[in-house]
Amino acid sequence: EKLSITPTLPSLININTNGSHALINNLPFHPPTNPNNKEGWISFSSSLGLSLLLLRLTHTHGGLNFNGARIVWRMGWSRIVVEGTGQSYNLFTDGGFSLFGSSTVRNFQRGIVAFVRMIGEAGRWVVDHDRTMSLPYCIEVDEKGEKAKVE
């Protein structure tokens, strides 16, 4: 069976590129080039929130189930919660990175790893439901859930 997209979804979320970077509703889907650019981090956090909305809609209306995690969608302040442990990972930051790291930064980094894991699961789910599609990259996450690799 092939996937169908609700006609309102394409008008709700626009995914395109500015040449070198992905954009979601014209928000950059990449960290700012200047780490001190707080507005850039807020835009990136918002684009992550829109991505999570797409994943959540696929979960809610398409039947996609994530392996041991759930999305708490709050637009630019979304998070991913690991079921069983209740550990919550933020997918938002103001870019307040420090030389020695902080629990906020580590939490955001682990949130990104959890997000990449969910993208991999969603991609495999789409391919399983529509054999005309394929994944251009392989997504792997280490056993501890601390590092993600896209090849």
Side-chain angles (χ1 to χ4, degrees):
E1 105 193 36
K2 289 194 174 189
L3 296 176
S4 63
I5 297 175
T6 306
T8 57
L9 190 56
S11 62
L12 175 68
I13 297 177
N14 178 10
I15 300 173
N16 57 25
T17 180
N18 68 358
S20 59
H21 296 290
L23 300 171
I24 299 177
N25 286 7
N26 290 326
L27 295 168
F29 193 64
H30 59 87
T33 53
N34 176 353
N36 297 319
N37 181 348
K38 299 226 184 270
E39 291 168 359
W41 284 107
I42 291 168
S43 295
F44 178 47
S45 296
S46 295
S47 69
L48 285 169
L50 285 168
S51 301
L52 278 178
L53 175 61
L54 282 173
L55 288 176
R56 185 170 172 141
L57 288 170
T58 306
H59 163 78
T60 305
H61 299 289
L64 167 63
N65 290 311
F66 295 107
N67 215 355
R70 67 182 168 83
I71 297 168
V72 179
W73 187 76
R74 300 286 182 269
M75 189 46 195
W77 296 273
S78 299
R79 44 181 96 226
I80 295 173
V81 177
V82 177
E83 294 176 346
T85 67
Q87 180 67 45
S88 179
Y89 298 119
N90 298 331
L91 279 173
F92 57 89
T93 183
D94 64 0
F97 293 99
S98 67
L99 181 61
F100 301 106
S102 69
S103 60
T104 303
V105 172
R106 283 191 297 277
N107 185 284
F108 176 72
Q109 290 170 340
R110 289 185 177 143
I112 292 293
V113 171
F115 172 74
V116 169
R117 175 185 286 155
M118 291 175 119
I119 292 293
E121 289 180 33
R124 288 186 293 278
W125 181 84
V126 167
V127 169
D128 287 346
H129 285 78
D130 186 345
R131 296 293 179 176
T132 64
M133 300 185 80
S134 64
L135 295 176
Y137 302 100
C138 176
I139 298 173
E140 296 177 5
V141 176
D142 71 351
E143 288 182 22
K144 292 181 182 178
E146 295 178 356
K147 294 181 183 176
K149 181 170 59 171
V150 180
E151 295 183 319

